[in-house]
Amino acid sequence: MIKPAGEGLQAAKTITMPLIENQLAPDFQAKDISGNTVRVSDLKGKKILLTFYRHVGCPFTNLRFLELEALDCYFSEMGLVVLAVYESSSENLQRYSHGESFYARMIANPEYDLYSLYDIEQSTLKILYSMYKGAFAKGEEGRRRFKENFCPEGRTNTLGGDFLIDEDGCIKYAYYNQYLGDALPVNDIIRFLKNDKMEINKVSC
């Protein structure tokens, strides 16, 4: 269960619109799958990628995680903190990561508190729209790259999203996925780390 991390969280819960650039990132307290406490407010002075996945058994989630995992060493060298939130049980996340040394701090949130806090969208229509965006091929690749099978968990229409948070705890960019397989471009994460201008081509549907 996600616990409030101060008065700022209570104010954040009243937000009913997607988060936007330059607002303070809503704070929270949670445990990663190693049992360590995670608080956004404790990470001031560091750049953060806060990414919301679907459940661990989703092939699109698997594909995106592996894409970011390929940059583990680079993210570590650049001092980026990667917080990966899943709508899955801690047990399944631990099984997914067994024998691996992922750089990302993985957080199980089957209660969906964090998703609601960051206003992650649920949309059955956008899930269906994914078929027009190459979802079948991406899904097949994601399934092929699983080490083992996982049963679906949580909501079927969660879309996910990525948030780049600067050293002051402010959202530099909020990227809300618009279909299965959509995500913040890796090149823009790299631009964020280098303090370069981001050129995100955002889909809206």
Side-chain angles (χ1 to χ4, degrees):
M1 179 66 68
I2 304 304
K3 297 181 179 179
E7 295 180 358
L9 178 61
Q10 299 303 320
K13 283 187 175 179
T14 65
I15 296 173
T16 56
M17 296 178 63
L19 305 182
I20 59 175
E21 291 74 27
N22 299 318
Q23 76 175 86
L24 192 66
D27 198 8
F28 62 84
Q29 176 178 314
K31 296 281 188 181
D32 64 21
I33 59 171
S34 297
N36 300 310
T37 299
V38 178
R39 295 186 189 89
V40 173
S41 55
D42 286 348
L43 297 172
K44 283 194 176 180
K46 297 180 181 293
K47 290 183 176 178
I48 303 169
L49 167 61
L50 173 59
T51 183
F52 288 87
Y53 293 107
R54 287 159 55 82
H55 59 84
V56 73
C58 172
F60 302 96
T61 290
N62 187 45
L63 200 60
R64 173 61 168 178
F65 185 82
L66 294 176
E67 179 184 31
L68 295 184
E69 184 207 358
L71 292 166
D72 269 2
C73 290
Y74 177 71
F75 289 160
S76 179
E77 290 170 2
M78 296 295 288
L80 179 69
V81 176
V82 182
L83 304 179
V85 182
Y86 285 81
E87 193 185 0
S88 290
S89 67
S90 180
E91 291 77 13
N92 274 340
L93 266 185
Q94 289 171 349
R95 187 157 64 94
Y96 180 79
S97 61
H98 180 70
E100 303 286 353
S101 56
F102 298 134
Y103 176 65
R105 300 182 65 177
M106 303 170 78
I107 300 169
N109 187 221
E111 303 90 353
Y112 214 78
D113 305 50
L114 278 179
Y115 292 81
S116 298
L117 183 62
Y118 276 76
D119 204 35
I120 297 299
E121 187 177 5
Q122 301 170 50
S123 172
T124 301
L125 285 177
K126 289 183 179 181
I127 296 295
L128 295 174
Y129 171 74
S130 305
M131 292 298 105
Y132 296 96
K133 301 297 290 185
F136 181 79
K138 287 183 178 179
E140 286 299 302
E141 183 181 358
R143 275 185 281 273
R144 179 178 57 81
R145 297 181 66 182
F146 270 122
K147 294 188 299 182
E148 57 181 299
N149 294 325
F150 294 86
C151 293
E153 298 175 271
R155 296 157 176 78
T156 60
N157 59 353
T158 297
L159 287 164
D162 298 291
F163 298 84
L164 298 175
I165 302 171
D166 67 17
E167 295 91 337
D168 295 322
C170 292
I171 296 172
K172 185 69 174 179
Y173 199 86
Y175 192 96
Y176 288 93
N177 300 349
Q178 296 296 298
Y179 55 89
L180 293 176
D182 185 28
L184 176 70
V186 166
N187 285 341
D188 282 298
I189 300 174
I190 294 172
R191 290 188 181 101
F192 169 64
L193 289 172
K194 293 181 175 179
N195 296 314
D196 291 340
K197 182 180 179 181
M198 290 183 289
E199 300 174 0
I200 299 172
N201 295 319
K202 186 176 181 180
V203 176
S204 181
C205 60

